Amino acid sequence: EGATAPPEETDVIPEPSEDLLSVFHEIARNFNRFNHDTITHGPRLTGGMETSKGYLFPESEQKALSPPLLFLLARFALADQLAAWWQKVAYWALVAILGLIFLTVTLFECYAHVAPGQVVLLMGYPLLFGFGWLVVWLARRWRVDNRYLDFRALSEAMRVHLFWKRASLRENAADYYLRSCRSQLDWIRSALRVWTVQSGEHDCRSACPVDLPPDLATLKQVRKRWMDNQQEYFAKSEKRDHDKAHLCHRWARGFLCLSLTATAIQSVRLMWAWGHHDHHIGHDVMTHAFIMIIAMGGVLAGLCHEYLEKRLFEKQARSYGWMASLYQTALKRFDHLSEKGEAGQIQVLVREL
């Protein structure tokens, strides 16, 4: 009697670690960037969005889609067009940087070997160099490459999710997409989940397919609009990037050979001048011309190689070839199951893709 009751224990929420806070802030920044780009660039991309929708479903087939699928299709088109926008920005930023490098070296070589008295040429060197650094700084500040890659990953996640739903799969693609890239790309999975909820779907948390699989006609539409189109796209892209890589290598070898040829010719000229005690050859116009060819040939060869490396033609060609083979195998498997009328197994195949 008279004893006080012990204080009630309360659940104490621990403070999040610095790593978790960093991941959270990065996700929030990515959402803000996407929302900002939607407001800024979205209105001018309206026409392209209709084209993006047609990549998945022609206008005649869009009318048969449910309202949730139409909502998701619009979000796919938005992400696809934003990815294409930033892809163009990234491309022209790279071209501008490489072009400015070429112009910077050209101005210096012209000052050194063509018009040594033209101070304007010498002043242009640091100006172009500084402008090139400005382009690099802006590209990094705007996260040009990251935006393009992130928005492309988001649009491809929407593509997969749309066709999963068309095939009556109840899983959410966000639960399976890019699972090896946790934290960095969590915002993409979060965006997909949010759009799934907003679309009006109520099965996004279910982990099992519907009881009755769709009819074969709908599954054949998935085959044509997704599997067949993707296989054709990857096959064409493999050849395209392979040809571009071969062209870059050929140009780089050509410029390098030009530089080495000019070096050999100038070396022969200097050896001949040394043997004949002709000191004029080392300072004549031809000597300066050969020096410029030697320098600019090496620079152009290096720029071709850098362009090849930055555009990832060889790596992408290999990846596209692998994906084309994957979809080709899936198409054969689909046709085999379709002949047997096994719609349920076709659903399993679609889920595995």
Side-chain angles (χ1 to χ4, degrees):
E1 185 178 354
T4 59
E8 296 182 0
E9 294 184 0
T10 58
D11 294 332
V12 178
I13 301 177
E15 291 292 331
S17 64
E18 291 295 329
D19 293 338
L20 290 177
L21 284 175
S22 176
V23 171
F24 171 78
H25 290 310
E26 183 61 25
I27 292 175
R29 281 192 292 268
N30 284 321
F31 274 122
N32 288 336
R33 292 189 191 100
F34 183 84
N35 293 334
H36 176 269
D37 288 344
T38 300
I39 296 172
T40 304
H41 306 300
R44 76 185 69 168
L45 301 176
T46 304
M49 288 174 62
E50 295 302 320
T51 303
S52 294
K53 291 179 183 179
Y55 291 153
L56 269 61
F57 299 101
E59 187 175 357
S60 58
E61 296 182 12
Q62 292 178 25
K63 299 177 182 179
L65 299 178
S66 62
L69 287 184
L70 288 175
F71 178 89
L72 294 174
L73 182 62
R75 295 305 178 271
F76 161 81
L78 174 61
D80 183 68
Q81 285 299 305
L82 286 176
W85 167 267
W86 284 109
Q87 183 182 22
K88 292 179 181 178
V89 174
Y91 170 78
W92 286 113
L94 174 62
V95 171
I97 292 170
L98 298 180
L100 287 169
I101 293 174
F102 173 75
L103 291 177
T104 300
V105 177
T106 301
L107 280 182
F108 184 80
E109 290 295 323
C110 288
Y111 172 78
H113 301 288
V114 177
Q118 296 293 328
V119 184
V120 176
L121 296 176
L122 185 61
M123 293 176 60
Y125 178 84
L127 288 176
L128 288 177
F129 188 82
F131 190 64
W133 271 112
L134 177 62
V135 175
V136 172
W137 181 79
L138 288 174
R140 289 178 177 176
R141 179 176 177 82
W142 293 341
R143 298 169 62 89
V144 171
D145 288 323
N146 287 348
R147 270 179 157 148
Y148 155 57
L149 294 174
D150 284 2
F151 295 168
R152 176 53 60 205
L154 177 58
S155 66
E156 293 307 314
M158 292 300 303
R159 185 197 303 269
V160 172
H161 187 75
L162 271 164
F163 284 108
W164 275 20
K165 294 306 171 183
R166 191 60 179 154
S168 298
L169 292 172
R170 302 187 67 183
E171 290 93 338
N172 193 321
D175 297 330
Y176 301 87
Y177 192 63
L178 298 173
R179 287 181 292 183
S180 61
C181 301
R182 292 292 181 185
S183 73
Q184 304 101 317
L185 300 177
D186 275 339
W187 82 273
I188 295 176
R189 287 181 285 272
S190 298
L192 182 54
R193 291 189 182 100
V194 170
W195 282 345
T196 301
V197 174
Q198 289 179 339
S199 70
E201 292 183 25
H202 302 289
D203 59 355
C204 58
R205 296 177 184 176
S206 179
C208 59
V210 294
D211 295 332
L212 296 176
D215 58 278
L216 284 176
T218 302
L219 291 174
K220 287 181 179 180
Q221 182 193 44
V222 173
R223 179 197 188 280
K224 180 179 180 180
R225 300 303 176 194
W226 180 30
M227 299 168 64
D228 197 28
N229 284 355
Q230 288 293 93
Q231 194 280 331
E232 182 179 355
Y233 168 79
F234 285 125
K236 289 182 177 179
S237 298
E238 178 193 13
K239 183 180 185 305
R240 179 199 64 198
D241 281 13
H242 179 271
D243 292 343
K244 288 183 177 180
H246 180 72
L247 183 62
C248 286
H249 280 301
R250 189 164 57 184
W251 277 103
R253 286 194 297 266
F255 286 126
L256 185 60
C257 289
L258 178 64
S259 179
L260 293 175
T261 301
T263 302
I265 294 174
Q266 180 61 16
S267 298
V268 172
R269 293 180 74 244
L270 291 176
M271 291 176 62
W272 185 90
W274 178 77
H276 292 78
H277 303 286
D278 186 353
H279 302 290
H280 175 70
I281 288 183
H283 305 282
D284 61 349
V285 176
M286 288 296 296
T287 296
H288 290 290
F290 277 120
I291 291 175
M292 284 198 64
I293 293 173
I294 293 169
M296 298 311 299
V299 169
L300 288 171
L303 291 177
C304 288
H305 180 74
E306 185 67 15
Y307 180 80
L308 172 65
E309 290 295 316
K310 292 297 183 181
R311 295 300 305 277
L312 301 173
F313 289 137
E314 293 179 318
K315 182 178 180 181
Q316 289 183 161
R318 290 192 295 269
S319 298
Y320 289 148
W322 183 83
M323 291 298 296
S325 299
L326 174 66
Y327 275 94
Q328 185 62 44
T329 303
L331 286 170
K332 293 179 180 179
R333 177 63 176 166
F334 184 102
D335 293 339
H336 176 71
L337 294 173
S338 179
E339 291 176 358
K340 295 183 176 180
E342 298 182 1
Q345 290 300 314
I346 292 178
Q347 277 189 313
V348 175
L349 174 64
V350 171
R351 185 190 297 110
E352 291 177 351
L353 283 178

